[in-house]
Amino acid sequence: MGILGKARAKSPWILHFDAGACNGCDIEVIACLTPVYDVERFGMMNIGNPKHADILLVTGTCNLRNARVLKNLYAQMPEPKAVVAIGACALSGGVFHECYNVLGGVEGIIPVDVWVPGCAPKPEAIIEGAVMAVQRMQERASGKVQPSEDESEDEHA
Amino acid sequence: MGELAWLGRLNVGGLAGVLILAPVLTGLVVFLVRTKWSRKGIVTGTGWILSLGALALFGFGAVRRDTVSFMPPQIPGISWDAVVTGLDLLLIVGFVAIGFLLRRPIVAALAVLQAGLVLWVELSHSVRLEHPPLYVDWLAIIMVMIVSVIGSIVAVYGLPYMKEHEKHLGIPDTASKRPRFFLTILIFLGAMNGLVLSDNLLWLFFFWEVTTLCSFLLIRHDETADAEANAFRALWINMAGGVLFAGGLVVLSHAVGAVSIQRIVESRASVVTNPIALVGLGLLCVAGFTKAAQMPFHSWLLGAMVAPTPVSALLHSSTMVKAGVYLIARLAPAFHDTAMSDMIAVAGGFTFAAAALLAIGQTNAKKVLAYSTISNLGLIIACAGLNSPLSMAAAVMLIIFHAISKALLFMAAGVVEHGIWSRDIEDMQGLVSRMPLTTLTMVIGILSMLLPPFGVLIAKLAAIEASVRMPAALLLLVVGSTLTVMFWTKWTGRLLTADPSVVFPRIEHLHSMYFVPLLMLTIGALGFSLMVVPLLTQLIVPAVAQYYRSVQSDVTTLVQFDNVLGVPWALVFGVLALAVLWPLLYFRGPRTQRTGVYLCGEQVETAATTTFRTAAETAVPVTIRGHYFERAVGETVHARWMMTVSIAALVLMLGAAFLQR
Amino acid sequence: MNPIALGALTLVIAPILGGLLMGLDRRITARLQNRLGPPILQPFYDVGKLMGKQPVACNSFQGVAASLYLMTSVLALLMFVLGQDLLVLLFVLALGAVMLILGGFSVKSPYSQLGSQREVLQMLAYEPLLVLMVVGVYLQTGSFSANSVLALDRPLLLTMPIFLVTQTLVIGIKLHKSPFDVSASHHAHQELVRGIYTEFSGLQLALIELAHFYELVLLLGFVWFLWHTNWLVGAALALAAYFSTILMDNVTARMTWRWLVSFMWTWGIGLAVANLAAIYFMLRVPR
Ligand code: SF4
């Protein structure tokens, strides 16, 4: 891990996208920024702009309307990047799975690197997920993993 | 220099004759021989004659290195003074006729008033006329160069422009008004050359009135109701200025007993202690204010933008308005170190700041340019009013660089107008994707008006330095420069707002008579800025030194440009050029990916687009508009108090003549 | 010292110093918000990471804008260190600011366009104050060169006390600190999208951040000038000005551009002019 790798590990900027959450997960994501958890300790910052972001945190289910938005945001993030799906909804659709408009989880819309299960997951779990995403991003930048085609070795927090 | 010594033996009287009369004669030929090819050839040829003549005059000055007063070539049986007086009266008769034809009695009245005042000067015996009426020094040479070279470039540019213009208006070739147009333009150039070479104020007055007439004819060229109204306004305001000019002459001829500028400057010691003489000079300066479109007289220049663009390019850059500042700068040594001079600085500074403020609120590109001209002329007049060698060096530099940049900007604006048929800055949004070449010249023109390392800025720095001794002027200059940055930046921003779907914009085709003048002026703007140090030391400092020699003996040491000259400008240029070039190469490389703009992920597809989906999945293009702060800086918001303040400044200026230092 | 060596040293040390100060800022801000905050070296990590990102651009002018912004900041600082003309320096700095604005304008994005429009107004707010400060220097030294200040044997603060305040305000505006952060916020987490910086990414953003390091050192250098006779006091003044902007950032909220411009053009310019008037009066500046 050279200087660049170290810088990358120390400065993951986060874009948080609420697809169709009940807001439970969002509250937990925001909680990570509060003095109790303070993710800025790790250099993480919540920035609302895909062009600056390294890690995309997605909460909630995907439907036809927001799937396109999610894809667009993902496409506008420059490489290297990673995606973390947060909460049961983002994993599979969760309690909304059977709704007429729900497509399911984030997987299938954009490639997911880290799954953080829970309804809602605790902030600690979310932070750990983000840290894992940083590792994923490192591997990808160093050429070990090709951009998220393979789903076999995905970690679960 | 040895081989060039013959330049010093040139017959300067003959040279002046060529510079003044050649364009008039060729103009008549253009008017009489009405074919397209002869017109093209003759206008271009006249451009060459004028440019070469100016160059010869420059060589003459460079070899002589001194000022020369001279007579026009002697022709037995002809008194040139009588000829000029006769032509002057003929001109005034013409004005009276125009007044009757247009049913505008005020024009006739002003003309009669002028005639009376001029005859009064001519007939009063106190005036000594033995001084040669023409005069060459560096300032005059610089002005001749500007008029002849930039004026010719504009005239050539006018050839294709007027053709397209008439085509757009649907005027058939047989009814073309182009012969008259180019006749007027060429007479205009000759008159300007005469104006800057005249030492006798009566001669100067004649040429002054010729420029008034020419500008009237040019503004009126399209003969629409709008053009008529604005041409009339330009005419009466400038004729009122002419009346003030003639009135000033009457006062001066009685108080000083001379109408030669050199005589007046030489007798400065008696002038500054004589309030009447100062009032005379003050009246001449107010006449300069009208011609230079200073507040409160600025409305005529704003109206003048209805004219075809070559006219604007000519009026704003090398002719007309420059005549006003030239007169004030020329007379400045005579009222050096007086309260009136300080008031001129404040009045000029006020116009500088106020016009820049009003420019912020304009969406019409030509109007922004017009306000910028008014503002910059205010700065030049402020420099003349500050009346120190340093400020005068700044003034001369501003005259040069402003002429180049403003001609460039107007010509580029004209090309744009014929490309998109609009003058609105909002319509120019994203012009960089449609007309990249023209946009590039335009952006260079704009940046050369306000940023380092370009000449206008360096002159502005000198002006600020010179104004430190006068807090009021200083504050106006600081405020004005900030406001200037604002309106230019906003405009450039509109031009550069690129269309994201165009990666490599197609270079537009430009007529060669558009392209070459634009290219020449762009190179001029860049090249002269690059050579600002030699320009300053070789040309401008000697000019200022000549000018102040009756006031201060040792001028060169007073021009403290050391700090500015100490900056390694060539290095700065190089570094900045590198900073521009490498990203162009790097971010064009195959590694760089083009993306669309950030639209909250709602863009229609991920490719470069600015259309987004809104309610009910309807696709809506992003609309972007510049902000013009109409409520804060609209013209009407400030009209009244600005008028009041500027009129008060003029009254105080004349009143200050009675304050003794 | 040899000017070339001095220049080279500045090129290296200034960004380190600027980055450390920015890191300190992040840390202090976090402490004021009862958080632990990132490591002091965080700004360097950020710049390093941004440099390693895939290059992405909306048009080729963006890169030019970012590069010119950096280059002018460096040039301005070099001119400062080498004792060149302060007025020229300010306009070189203005060139960079204008380029950044044009970079924002060059993208047809509502966010960066709005940011640029507002950055123009920010510039309108601080530019006259910088020039007036330099004029204050001129009144006492008779020259605009930075060297002439060093030749002065008394601290400038004694005659220009108000400029400590205005310069603090200018630093606040230049660094986009609340309540002056109308075009974008200094700290990314304080806002939704990043105004004028929205469309710059990767290397371009890294260049802009780097330019901020240089610019911060330059702006603090201006404060240091107010007490140049003892460099410790000067440095203390500079740090005090810097920390007051950080404090201001944390206890105030963003205000509107109308307030910004009218506040700076009444109070800011008014106070500066009052100070200048006092200098005119005291020194009886010769005509
Ligand atoms: S996982 Fe649970 S808390 Fe999170 S969005 Fe779904 S329902 Fe809400």
Side-chain angles (χ1 to χ4, degrees):
Chain A
M1 192 160 80
I3 296 176
L4 199 63
K6 172 140 194 220
R8 201 174 282 134
K10 288 273 197 178
S11 155
W13 289 359
I14 286 169
L15 173 67
H16 169 211
F17 180 63
D18 169 6
C22 78
N23 278 176
C25 285
D26 302 327
I27 290 169
E28 300 303 321
V29 168
I30 300 302
C32 299
L33 305 172
T34 58
V36 179
Y37 299 100
D38 188 24
V39 285
E40 211 197 352
R41 280 177 299 158
F42 312 116
M44 290 187 195
M45 266 199 297
N46 184 18
I47 53 163
N49 181 351
K51 296 194 166 185
H52 298 176
D54 305 296
I55 296 179
L56 176 59
L57 298 186
V58 192
T59 54
T61 64
C62 287
N63 57 39
L64 281 170
R65 188 73 178 76
N66 67 32
R68 193 191 66 239
V69 176
L70 186 58
K71 266 191 231 161
N72 280 342
L73 290 179
Y74 180 74
Q76 280 192 336
M77 287 169 61
E79 292 284 347
K81 57 189 171 186
V83 179
V84 184
I86 291 169
C89 293
L91 264 55
S92 63
V95 291
F96 304 113
H97 188 73
E98 299 302 321
C99 283
Y100 65 96
N101 62 335
V102 167
L103 298 172
V106 177
E107 185 67 53
I109 312 293
I110 56 171
V112 176
D113 293 287
V114 181
W115 281 267
V116 183
C119 178
K122 291 176 112 184
E124 289 95 331
I126 297 175
I127 296 173
E128 197 188 345
V131 172
M132 280 182 165
V134 172
Q135 287 163 8
R136 263 303 270 229
M137 209 167 63
Q138 292 283 27
E139 288 164 15
R140 188 171 302 162
S142 55
K144 275 191 207 135
V145 183
Q146 280 309 303
S148 29
E149 270 106 54
D150 47 321
E151 286 130 42
S152 51
E153 48 169 306
D154 296 317
E155 291 107 304
H156 291 257
Chain B
M1 257 344 218
E3 316 85 80
L4 293 176
W6 59 271
L7 282 169
R9 292 190 296 278
L10 281 177
N11 179 348
V12 64
L15 204 54
V18 170
L19 286 168
I20 298 167
L21 294 179
V24 178
L25 295 176
T26 54
L28 284 173
V29 177
V30 167
F31 185 62
L32 297 173
V33 185
R34 306 172 75 96
T35 66
K36 203 169 77 186
W37 290 108
S38 67
R39 184 160 55 236
K40 248 186 190 171
I42 293 170
V43 171
T44 319
T46 313
W48 281 110
I49 294 175
L50 283 179
S51 305
L52 290 177
L55 212 59
L57 193 68
F58 180 79
F60 173 80
V63 175
R64 284 290 184 93
R65 301 199 155 273
D66 200 3
T67 61
V68 182
S69 292
F70 59 96
M71 298 292 288
Q74 296 294 320
I75 299 174
I78 290 184
S79 150
W80 285 108
D81 271 327
V83 169
V84 170
T85 310
L87 285 174
D88 205 0
L89 292 178
L90 202 64
L91 190 65
I92 286 172
V93 171
F95 279 133
V96 173
I98 289 176
F100 278 110
L101 283 177
L102 296 182
R103 293 177 207 290
R104 302 280 198 185
I106 183 171
V107 174
L110 288 170
V112 170
L113 211 55
Q114 281 185 5
L117 291 167
V118 169
L119 286 175
W120 186 352
V121 179
E122 294 273 359
L123 300 178
S124 62
H125 297 289
S126 56
V127 181
R128 285 164 292 155
L129 282 172
E130 72 273 25
H131 215 269
L134 297 172
Y135 179 79
V136 167
D137 66 352
W138 271 120
L139 182 66
I141 294 176
I142 291 173
M143 288 299 295
V144 168
M145 294 280 278
I146 292 175
V147 171
S148 301
V149 178
I150 298 180
S152 303
I153 291 178
V154 174
V156 170
Y157 161 89
L159 289 166
Y161 187 95
M162 290 315 289
K163 187 173 156 200
E164 284 183 22
H165 183 73
E166 294 196 338
K167 202 158 93 190
H168 187 60
L169 294 181
I171 298 175
D173 254 3
T174 45
S176 171
K177 285 185 292 187
R178 277 180 276 164
R180 203 182 76 195
F181 181 81
F182 285 100
L183 169 68
T184 323
I185 291 243
L186 291 177
I187 292 180
F188 204 151
L189 293 183
M192 269 308 286
N193 274 335
L195 195 151
V196 299
L197 288 171
S198 294
D199 182 45
N200 185 328
L201 281 168
L202 283 167
W203 286 44
L204 208 155
F205 177 72
F206 164 66
F207 292 120
W208 184 274
E209 289 306 303
V210 174
T211 60
T212 299
L213 176 67
C214 288
S215 65
F216 164 74
L217 293 174
L218 289 172
I219 297 169
R220 196 174 161 273
H221 182 77
D222 282 344
E223 288 174 24
T224 58
D226 211 15
E228 300 268 8
N230 285 305
F232 166 66
R233 182 163 23 173
L235 184 65
W236 81 256
I237 290 182
N238 277 303
M239 286 193 67
V243 170
L244 289 174
F245 192 122
L249 267 182
V250 171
V251 178
L252 262 183
S253 63
H254 281 272
V256 188
V259 287
S260 147
I261 296 177
Q262 294 314 308
R263 272 292 162 78
I264 294 169
V265 170
E266 278 158 20
S267 50
R268 171 185 169 267
S270 61
V271 168
V272 292
T273 51
N274 180 357
I276 306 297
L278 273 183
V279 168
L281 285 174
L283 286 174
L284 287 183
C285 288
V286 179
F289 270 60
T290 58
K291 194 132 265 198
Q294 295 298 287
M295 285 187 181
F297 311 113
H298 63 292
S299 57
W300 77 261
L301 193 62
L302 294 175
M305 70 179 191
V306 299
T309 302
V311 177
S312 310
L314 207 60
L315 293 187
H316 287 255
S317 67
S318 52
T319 62
M320 197 65 182
V321 294
K322 286 285 153 61
V325 296
Y326 170 79
L327 180 70
I328 297 177
R330 191 43 114 188
L331 294 171
F335 51 83
H336 178 77
D337 195 20
T338 57
M340 190 178 85
S341 186
D342 290 352
M343 271 318 292
I344 291 178
V346 174
F350 177 75
T351 302
F352 174 55
L357 182 73
L358 293 180
I360 294 171
Q362 302 307 318
T363 60
N364 184 326
K366 279 183 95 173
K367 214 161 180 183
V368 173
L369 289 178
Y371 270 123
S372 147
T373 303
I374 297 169
S375 166
N376 273 287
L377 294 173
L379 181 59
I380 299 174
I381 289 178
C383 286
L386 288 168
N387 220 332
S388 69
L390 179 63
S391 77
M392 212 49 100
V396 178
M397 266 172 94
L398 278 169
I399 290 178
I400 300 174
F401 284 108
H402 176 257
I404 298 175
S405 298
K406 207 31 89 51
L408 174 61
L409 279 172
F410 264 109
M411 283 165 36
V415 175
V416 170
E417 198 183 339
H418 278 185
I420 63 175
W421 296 109
S422 167
R423 295 172 169 184
D424 199 307
I425 292 179
E426 287 303 310
D427 295 330
M428 293 184 193
Q429 178 165 304
L431 202 64
V432 67
S433 309
R434 286 178 279 166
M435 302 174 79
L437 205 58
T438 321
T439 310
L440 183 68
T441 58
M442 210 158 175
V443 170
I444 289 177
I446 289 179
L447 295 185
S448 71
M449 290 292 296
L450 78 157
L451 288 175
F454 292 105
V456 174
L457 181 97
I458 295 174
K460 216 177 264 177
L461 297 181
I464 291 179
E465 181 167 355
S467 70
V468 168
R469 63 175 192 86
M470 263 197 64
L474 169 77
L475 196 62
L476 288 169
L477 292 198
V478 172
V479 166
S481 346
T482 315
L483 295 171
T484 306
V485 173
M486 185 163 169
F487 71 81
W488 285 126
T489 309
K490 285 194 312 120
W491 181 1
T492 321
R494 295 295 93 219
L495 293 176
L496 291 180
T497 302
D499 182 345
S501 60
V502 180
V503 178
F504 293 100
R506 205 172 53 82
I507 306 283
E508 76 275 27
H509 173 75
L510 286 185
H511 192 291
S512 65
M513 279 184 172
Y514 281 165
F515 180 69
V516 174
L518 281 179
L519 185 72
M520 281 167 79
L521 287 177
T522 309
I523 291 174
L526 290 171
F528 279 107
S529 299
L530 198 58
M531 297 190 310
V532 68
V533 175
L535 188 74
L536 201 59
T537 52
Q538 302 297 315
L539 203 63
I540 293 171
V541 170
V544 175
Q546 279 182 355
Y547 205 77
Y548 270 109
R549 74 184 151 185
S550 57
V551 182
Q552 269 154 333
S553 52
D554 186 18
V555 168
T556 27
T557 54
L558 283 173
V559 183
Q560 291 169 336
F561 262 114
D562 299 351
N563 279 331
V564 177
L565 296 185
V567 179
W569 285 112
L571 197 69
V572 172
F573 251 105
V575 170
L576 294 182
L578 266 185
V580 172
L581 284 181
W582 80 261
L584 282 181
L585 299 174
Y586 182 84
F587 288 106
R588 276 243 156 135
R591 261 160 47 83
T592 306
Q593 188 201 328
R594 291 284 180 146
T595 58
V597 304
Y598 173 60
L599 291 172
C600 303
E602 287 283 12
Q603 63 268 38
V604 170
E605 67 259 5
T606 49
T609 174
T610 49
T611 307
F612 64 100
R613 278 193 206 282
T614 171
E617 301 284 308
T618 36
V620 177
V622 169
T623 340
I624 282 168
R625 198 180 169 275
H627 201 333
Y628 295 90
F629 311 96
E630 286 92 347
R631 264 188 305 160
V633 296
E635 274 172 319
T636 47
V637 182
H638 296 290
R640 188 171 296 166
W641 77 265
M642 280 183 178
M643 272 310 199
T644 318
V645 171
S646 51
I647 292 174
L650 288 188
V651 172
L652 284 178
M653 183 185 117
L654 289 175
F658 295 94
L659 287 180
Q660 293 294 326
R661 263 284 148 70
Chain C
M1 202 196 281
N2 178 343
I4 295 183
L6 189 61
L9 210 64
T10 312
L11 276 184
V12 179
I13 290 184
I16 296 177
L17 191 64
L20 286 177
L21 282 169
M22 293 262 185
L24 209 59
D25 170 9
R26 299 264 301 258
R27 194 66 179 221
I28 292 172
T29 301
R31 293 306 300 150
L32 287 171
Q33 295 167 358
N34 212 2
R35 295 185 286 120
L36 207 55
I40 300 280
L41 295 180
Q42 189 60 41
F44 299 105
Y45 295 137
D46 290 350
V47 169
K49 177 212 54 187
L50 286 172
M51 283 183 170
K53 295 288 274 188
Q54 171 201 20
V56 167
C58 295
N59 58 57
S60 37
F61 182 75
Q62 280 186 302
V64 176
S67 127
L68 268 175
Y69 184 49
L70 172 63
M71 210 52 96
T72 50
S73 302
V74 174
L75 262 181
L77 185 63
L78 282 180
M79 290 175 69
F80 185 78
V81 174
L82 297 179
Q84 299 258 2
D85 192 295
L86 290 173
L87 207 52
V88 177
L89 181 160
L90 287 185
F91 280 93
V92 170
L93 211 57
L95 168 66
V98 167
M99 282 301 153
L100 185 66
I101 293 169
L102 293 183
F105 270 134
S106 74
V107 185
K108 203 175 169 184
S109 148
Y111 299 99
S112 77
Q113 290 273 341
L114 199 66
S116 282
Q117 294 279 9
R118 292 171 159 215
E119 184 71 25
V120 175
L121 292 159
Q122 296 215 151
M123 203 171 162
L124 188 68
Y126 70 72
E127 195 68 24
L129 288 177
L130 280 172
V131 178
L132 288 178
M133 175 170 179
V134 171
V135 167
V137 171
Y138 184 93
L139 283 178
Q140 301 176 58
T141 63
S143 160
F144 279 121
S145 91
N147 273 338
S148 66
V149 176
L150 299 183
L152 214 63
D153 56 358
R154 62 184 148 77
L156 284 171
L157 188 69
L158 300 181
T159 44
M160 308 172 58
I162 288 172
F163 282 96
L164 183 60
V165 180
T166 59
Q167 193 60 18
T168 309
L169 296 178
V170 169
I171 294 177
I173 302 174
K174 265 290 217 192
L175 293 182
H176 300 112
K177 295 282 192 193
S178 288
F180 311 117
D181 49 349
V182 295
S183 82
S185 268
H186 183 212
H187 296 302
H189 55 71
Q190 285 176 356
E191 69 181 336
L192 295 178
V193 280
R194 284 209 73 196
I196 188 170
Y197 304 120
T198 304
E199 302 293 339
F200 292 101
S201 57
L203 183 57
Q204 298 159 354
L205 196 62
L207 295 180
I208 293 174
E209 281 298 316
L210 209 55
H212 283 323
F213 294 176
Y214 282 101
E215 212 172 56
L216 177 61
V217 175
L218 176 66
L219 290 171
L220 293 182
F222 267 99
V223 180
W224 177 83
F225 250 13
L226 290 174
W227 206 293
H228 65 91
T229 46
N230 182 338
W231 75 269
L232 270 177
V233 181
L237 278 183
L239 285 182
Y242 186 47
F243 291 130
S244 28
T245 61
I246 297 175
L247 194 65
M248 222 156 41
D249 194 21
N250 280 286
V251 297
T252 56
R254 168 183 294 184
M255 295 288 273
T256 62
W257 62 261
R258 273 192 193 82
W259 175 84
L260 172 68
V261 175
S262 53
F263 177 76
M264 295 309 282
W265 277 59
T266 49
W267 285 101
I269 295 189
L271 285 175
V273 167
N275 198 155
L276 286 185
I279 299 176
Y280 269 104
F281 186 67
M282 279 188 306
L283 299 181
R284 299 229 162 66
V285 176
R287 297 189 45 90

